[in-house]
Amino acid sequence: MSNAQHWIARKGTPLQGSLTIPGDKSVSHRAVMFAALADGTSTIEGFLEGEDTRATARIFSQLGVRIETPSASRRVVHGVGIDGLQAPSAPLDCGNAGTGMRLLAGLLAGQRFDSTLVGDESLSGRPMRRVTGPLAQMGAQIDTQDDGTPPLHVHGGQPLRGIAFASPVASAQVKSAVLLAGLYAQGETSVSEPHPTRDYTERMLAAFGVDITFSPGQARLRGGQRLHATDIVVPADFSSAAFYLVAASIIPGSVLRLKQVGLNPRRTGLLHALRLMGADITEENAAEQGGEPVADLVVRHAPLKGARIPEALVPDMIDEFPALFVAAAAAQGHTVVSGAAELRVKESDRLAAMATGLRALGMRVDETEDGATLHGGANLGSGTIESHGDHRIAMAFAIAGQISSGQVRINDVANVATSFPGFDDLARGAGFALESAP
């Protein structure tokens, strides 16, 4: 069922039990990348077995790195050192992974060989100038399509120089691409952001022995450093857990434990937003894995109320807005989102896709250029939803189906496997009514 093309969602039972969410996608991408560049052998536990992260692992195999898979969610990476990557014999296929492509653009800009990054139809329409622009300032030469979209043709052998980059957008991917290029640049590279974004790259580079200075919204490193192999335990992915946090909050009678979820403070904006709306979510068994804070999240059904989502939270929950919109549908009163224009250039135009889908189920949504006003409390009914091949849209409407009075058909769900393989099976085990459809 995990390979379903379409889903039918309808009202299920209260969500109960304990769930183990798959490993964090962002951490899994970076763990493979940095282990490949390190001197020595690293072991990665909890690696996300998703299509995006497997694509990144395949790319490093093409670049001459030996990666073993002794068991599911485990990788042993035999690093080749910062200067040990080999020229690929074919284009490097990132699949649907925007994180993979943007970070690799920075990393490959400093290599001595040429390379080409390609992706699927969705990724091939996503903007890349936000990355290629600052990399060009460092001396990189990267060709794109005329509109700035992939494929990316990265010219090797270009001497890079460190820059002080003031990013116009709050994007962890842009920041990370510049920092990775900075490892190959002469001098110091620094990045400042208009709003702090997740600091996975900074934390993990430090774990691999890189001398990097960082604080919210700022990061700085010098070129020429080497990485040293280390073992990484990947925490459960907060973005994947988000769908269950919302579902258990809005389905009456639910009590659900999500085990050892990554709680990077630049990732958990949704947690603050849901609590602002009245959600009952507690943290237990706090610990640290691979430099990342983790804890069990225990969520109980609670009546939610509409709220104005503070713009300061937006960069820390940019991937969780589809789930938040469903929470807003179940809440009493209006929920107002602004400052989220970034949602229009994700795997789909998520603002438009969520607004259109919720309207199809009978909810009033007033869309704006950078957000929406969602009028909660409506009784969601039957409808057909186009996910536009976006995994997070598909999973969000699987939740909406659980509180609808009818049947919700969700088209084009195969891409859920890019970030959350087995989502449907796990959901059904917890109490969702969710089935595959022709």
Side-chain angles (χ1 to χ4, degrees), residues 258-305:
L258 308 176
K259 294 188 284 190
Q260 294 298 278
V261 176
L263 296 180
N264 183 296
R266 296 273 70 85
R267 184 71 173 272
T268 51
L270 179 72
L271 203 54
H272 301 295
L274 288 176
R275 286 171 172 159
L276 188 65
M277 297 170 74
D280 182 355
I281 303 170
T282 57
E283 300 167 27
E284 299 179 1
N285 302 323
E288 189 172 287
Q289 293 179 359
E292 294 289 336
V294 300
D296 291 355
L297 296 178
V298 180
V299 54
R300 296 171 175 83
H301 169 257
L304 301 185
K305 59 184 183 299

Side-chain angles (χ1 to χ4, degrees), residues 322 325 343-344 347-360 367 385-390 392-394 397:
F325 276 35
L343 291 172
R344 296 203 181 276
E347 283 83 338
S348 66
D349 180 340
R350 285 182 176 159
L351 278 174
M354 288 304 301
T356 300
L358 288 169
R359 288 188 196 111
E367 196 177 338
I385 305 299
E386 300 301 332
S387 77
H388 305 281
D390 188 323
R392 300 199 195 280
I393 301 294
F397 281 102

Side-chain angles (χ1 to χ4, degrees), residues 45-376:
E45 304 282 358
F47 180 81
L48 173 65
E49 296 290 359
E51 292 177 8
D52 281 6
T53 46
R54 285 175 169 174
T56 294
R58 279 194 300 272
I59 284 171
F60 280 93
S61 295
Q62 287 180 260
L63 295 170
V65 179
R66 183 159 66 93
I67 302 176
E68 300 174 82
T69 308
S71 57
S73 302
R74 193 164 188 257
R75 295 293 187 276
V76 178
V77 182
H78 300 272
V80 296
I82 194 77
D83 48 8
L85 297 179
Q86 302 297 314
S89 58
L92 305 172
D93 189 353
C94 299
N96 188 247
T99 297
M101 180 172 283
R102 291 188 176 116
L103 270 62
L104 281 163
L107 192 157
L108 292 170
Q111 305 303 321
R112 61 188 181 280
F113 52 79
D114 292 2
S115 53
T116 300
L117 294 167
V118 299
D120 67 7
E121 182 180 359
S122 169
L123 182 55
S124 296
R126 294 175 68 180
M128 292 293 154
R129 285 197 180 118
R130 56 178 55 189
V131 167
T132 60
L135 293 177
Q137 293 178 37
M138 301 178 75
Q141 187 178 343
I142 303 176
D143 302 328
T144 67
Q145 300 282 75
D146 289 344
D147 61 355
T149 57
L152 303 185
H153 301 285
V154 186
H155 297 265
Q158 309 299 311
L160 302 184
R161 57 186 176 276
I163 61 171
F165 178 59
S167 180
V169 295
S171 168
Q173 294 176 0
V174 172
K175 172 179 63 176
S176 298
V178 172
L179 290 173
L180 290 181
L183 290 173
Y184 294 91
Q186 279 279 15
E188 187 175 81
T189 295
S190 65
V191 181
S192 59
E193 303 177 282
H195 303 287
T197 63
R198 57 192 66 169
D199 56 2
Y200 290 132
T201 294
E202 297 95 307
R203 287 172 182 256
M204 194 173 292
L205 283 175
F208 277 91
V210 172
D211 181 11
I212 180 169
T213 303
F214 60 98
S215 59
Q218 305 281 338
R220 180 186 309 271
L221 57 74
R222 68 180 188 280
Q225 299 188 62
R226 301 194 72 83
L227 284 70
H228 306 289
T230 190
D231 294 338
I232 296 290
V233 178
V234 180
D237 194 308
F238 182 85
S239 289
S240 295
F243 296 99
Y244 292 98
L245 291 176
V246 169
S249 292
I250 66 177
I251 297 172
S254 297
V255 182
L256 200 60
R257 178 183 293 270
L258 308 176
K259 294 188 284 190
Q260 294 298 278
V261 176
L263 296 180
N264 183 296
R266 296 273 70 85
R267 184 71 173 272
T268 51
L270 179 72
L271 203 54
H272 301 295
L274 288 176
R275 286 171 172 159
L276 188 65
M277 297 170 74
D280 182 355
I281 303 170
T282 57
E283 300 167 27
E284 299 179 1
N285 302 323
E288 189 172 287
Q289 293 179 359
E292 294 289 336
V294 300
D296 291 355
L297 296 178
V298 180
V299 54
R300 296 171 175 83
H301 169 257
L304 301 185
K305 59 184 183 299
R308 178 176 290 275
I309 305 304
E311 285 196 26
L313 292 179
V314 169
D316 298 344
M317 57 184 293
I318 203 69
D319 284 334
E320 289 75 51
F321 273 100
L324 176 79
F325 276 35
V326 177
Q332 289 297 320
H334 310 321
T335 297
V336 180
V337 171
S338 59
E342 178 79 3
L343 291 172
R344 296 203 181 276
V345 292
K346 300 297 285 184
E347 283 83 338
S348 66
D349 180 340
R350 285 182 176 159
L351 278 174
M354 288 304 301
T356 300
L358 288 169
R359 288 188 196 111
L361 301 182
M363 182 181 175
R364 181 180 160 205
V365 182
D366 300 324
E367 196 177 338
T368 65
E369 193 60 38
D370 68 343
T373 297
L374 302 110
H375 302 271

